[in-house]
Amino acid sequence: MAALPLCGRADELAVMALSWENVVADGSGPQVVVLTGEGGSGKSRLVAEAAAALRPAPAVVLAGRARAHSPAPYDWIASALSGRDARSAAVPGDALAWLTQRPDAPARRFVPDALLRVASDLVRSLVGAGPGVLVIEDLHDLDPASLALVDELAAQPLPALILVTSRSSDEAAFPELAGRVLARLSGTPRSTRLHLAPLTTEDVGAALAAAFGGPVPPGTPAAAHHRTGGNAFWIAELISAARSAGPGAVATGPLPKHIASLVTDRLAPERPETVDVATAAALLGDRLGTELLTHVCGPGAEHEIRRLVHLGLLAIGPDGEPKFRYPLLREAVAGTALGATRAAVSAKASEHELAATTDEAAATHVELARCLLELGRPEEARRHTERAAALLRAGRDEPDPDLTARERQVLGCMASGMSNQQVARSLGISIRTVTVHVSRVLRKTGSASRTEAAVWAVRTGTL
Ligand SMILES: Nc1ncnc2c1ncn2[C@@H]1O[C@H](COP(=O)(O)OP(=O)(O)OP(=O)(O)O)[C@@H](O)[C@H]1O
Ligand SMILES: [Mg+2]
């Protein structure tokens, strides 16, 4: 599939074009633009588009990136020079071999400062009179030597535009160092730091219209935006997967397996406890909250919530409660749950909610009893006190030993919401007999209604 046209980001492109104009007009020092944003927000795409649109075209472009796994010294320079013959640069051949990570590089170690100077000389020699562009992709993943080099280059009188992309330093391979370098790069009068916000609903609408070749059904851009949180990567992936199904599938179609795997892969190296809490959180849907999650998963849930925030799956909302950062992430995690897990989470959650209901119901009876006493109606007050006591007794796991096996069966049917007629059909007995059993169950459990009896049954584990 052809890439989507770039949507939005006009202001960011203008800032980079302006910085380039400054480099071209005054070649005395570098201009720096630092683009930060979450994974998939569109940093790489934007830098690539901006660099390609620069006029006059740069005399030289050195673009390098980090190696996300196993960072090695000077990954950036090795990556920027790969496929380029740099032997003419005025630096010692053995150091060049080392910096470009050639397999035939000498085994001897270099003094770090000396190597940093050589690396910096090498870049300056390649940029020459410029004007040039240095692209430093994924600074957060860079090795310390590359970070030191970037820091050094930004402080040199280099006729170049330095375009840096980075996720938050919290995600960095070397968080403190990356944080310091990002702060220094962004903190000079010649630098601009841009944080890439999610795409807007209008941007998503433009992407959908471009991909599907015309106007899209109203509401689709907003729904697709909500599902993805405006993250460019997920939008591009969903659009690509929905090519034949149409734009509606981007908003509401089932999540394609390969897209779901991209999310769940993040959980693959995590501890089972973390995965369990993520799964339960996903299954709880809108009911997700720390208290309920702790009831379902145990006291370690809060620790795991923090881990899931770090992994970018959850975010803490303004009410202090965790939420999936956007529905697509929740859908992907929920999709991994087996039937037994779904049933267990649902049962635990209902138990918690019923417990809360029971306590509230008991409190209501106590309150009613107090009012009735004040009104001089002691008989009615006593009935409410007894009901409160029955509810609380049930809450303290005190099953009534008098319940017969048949009454327990009837209670089970009542708790699953069956009418007397359905109970009769299910147990193969007459409605009249069911009515007798139901009234005995209500009396023995001290319940005023079928719902209270169901609460009692769940609280005491009778079912
Ligand atoms: N403004 C945009 N309009 C249309 N498509 C976009 C836009 N921004 C990004 N994309 C597409 O979204 C996908 C992800 O973008 P990109 O790789 O630039 O994200 P990133 O921020 O660099 O992510 P990472 O942190 O993982 O490197 C790409 O397929 C890209 O083409
Ligand atoms: Mg990128």
Side-chain angles (χ1 to χ4, degrees), residues 5-7 9 38-45 138 167 199 232-233:
L6 187 78
C7 302
R9 311 302 190 205
E38 69 168 32
S41 54
K43 306 176 290 294
S44 302
R45 173 75 186 270
D138 299 328
R167 294 190 192 174
L199 295 178
F233 176 80

Side-chain angles (χ1 to χ4, degrees), residues 1 3-10 35-49 65 137-138 140-141 165-167 171 196 199 203 206-207 230-237 239:
M1 179 197 123
L4 293 169
L6 187 78
C7 302
R9 311 302 190 205
L35 278 177
T36 53
E38 69 168 32
S41 54
K43 306 176 290 294
S44 302
R45 173 75 186 270
L46 184 54
V47 159
E49 297 261 352
R65 60 177 55 250
E137 272 268 36
D138 299 328
H140 63 281
D141 269 336
T165 70
S166 181
R167 294 190 192 174
E171 288 186 54
L196 282 196
L199 295 178
D203 297 336
N231 182 286
F233 176 80
W234 296 122
I235 290 161
E237 288 292 323
I239 286 179

Side-chain angles (χ1 to χ4, degrees), residues 74 77 91 99 113-127 148-149 152-153 156 158:
Y74 294 106
I77 209 161
V91 295
L99 288 171
D113 275 358
L115 207 52
L116 177 61
R117 218 170 315 117
V118 175
S120 160
D121 288 349
L122 174 58
V123 174
R124 278 191 294 139
S125 133
L126 290 169
V127 171
L149 175 61
E152 168 90 2
L153 290 171
Q156 299 268 334
L158 198 68

Side-chain angles (χ1 to χ4, degrees), residues 47-429:
V47 159
E49 297 261 352
L54 296 177
R55 293 294 174 271
V60 55
V61 177
L62 290 178
R65 60 177 55 250
R67 267 198 290 194
H69 306 291
S70 66
Y74 294 106
D75 274 342
W76 179 77
I77 209 161
S79 156
L81 296 190
S82 83
R84 177 189 291 261
D85 187 358
R87 274 172 304 183
S88 59
V91 295
D94 54 351
L96 182 63
W98 212 87
L99 288 171
T100 50
Q101 300 176 353
R102 282 213 321 255
D104 60 342
R108 84 178 172 86
R109 292 208 151 268
F110 294 87
V111 179
D113 275 358
L115 207 52
L116 177 61
R117 218 170 315 117
V118 175
S120 160
D121 288 349
L122 174 58
V123 174
R124 278 191 294 139
S125 133
L126 290 169
V127 171
V133 174
L134 305 184
V135 179
I136 306 189
E137 272 268 36
D138 299 328
L139 177 137
H140 63 281
D141 269 336
L142 277 181
D143 60 282
S146 295
L147 286 169
L149 175 61
V150 173
D151 205 15
E152 168 90 2
L153 290 171
Q156 299 268 334
L158 198 68
L161 171 62
I162 303 183
L163 298 174
V164 178
T165 70
S166 181
R167 294 190 192 174
S168 147
S169 58
D170 292 346
E171 288 186 54
F174 300 89
E176 272 187 34
L177 188 56
R180 274 206 303 276
V181 172
L182 274 177
R184 265 205 298 272
L185 286 177
S186 329
T188 78
R190 292 169 158 270
S191 66
T192 313
R193 183 165 180 163
L194 302 172
H195 185 78
L196 282 196
L199 295 178
T200 63
T201 301
E202 289 68 37
D203 297 336
V204 175
L208 289 169
F212 294 98
V216 293
T220 310
H225 182 266
H226 174 69
R227 189 182 200 185
T228 57
N231 182 286
F233 176 80
W234 296 122
I235 290 161
E237 288 292 323
L238 282 174
I239 286 179
S240 157
R243 278 286 152 156
S244 51
V250 176
T252 52
L255 199 58
K257 266 209 176 75
H258 72 278
I259 297 183
S261 307
L262 291 170
V263 177
T264 51
D265 283 355
R266 290 193 214 171
L267 286 170
E270 296 299 311
R271 292 158 47 245
E273 293 86 337
T274 314
V275 179
D276 287 349
V277 170
T279 311
L283 293 174
L284 289 174
D286 290 343
R287 294 178 296 170
L288 176 58
T290 308
E291 195 191 327
L292 183 54
L293 203 52
T294 303
H295 178 80
V296 172
C297 299
E302 235 176 300
H303 174 78
E304 304 306 340
I305 289 172
R306 280 197 286 277
R307 177 74 195 148
L308 294 167
V309 169
H310 179 77
L311 292 175
L313 291 177
L314 296 183
I316 303 297
D319 57 354
E321 289 295 349
K323 259 174 73 123
F324 273 87
R325 298 199 35 211
Y326 25 87
L328 179 145
L329 302 177
R330 193 192 71 73
E331 284 172 58
V333 178
T336 61
L338 300 174
T341 312
R342 286 172 193 275
V345 169
S346 159
K348 279 261 186 191
S350 310
E351 182 186 282
H352 183 70
E353 279 155 2
L354 280 173
T357 316
T358 309
D359 290 346
E360 272 171 29
T364 306
H365 283 303
V366 170
E367 187 59 18
L368 281 173
R370 197 182 56 73
C371 295
L372 288 164
L373 261 184
E374 272 179 24
L375 292 171
R377 291 154 65 179
E379 257 317 292
E380 288 153 281
R382 190 180 54 75
R383 275 211 302 279
H384 281 289
T385 315
E386 276 172 12
R387 282 194 197 150
L391 280 172
L392 294 172
R393 201 168 50 243
R396 287 198 303 273
D397 281 0
E398 291 171 13
D400 186 334
D402 282 336
L403 232 47
T404 64
R406 185 55 112 189
E407 284 160 4
R408 274 168 209 271
Q409 275 178 322
V410 171
L411 178 57
C413 295
M414 286 159 68
S416 55
M418 288 189 198
S419 66
N420 283 3
Q421 199 174 14
Q422 287 167 320
V423 178
R425 213 174 308 131
S426 158
L427 300 180
I429 52 180

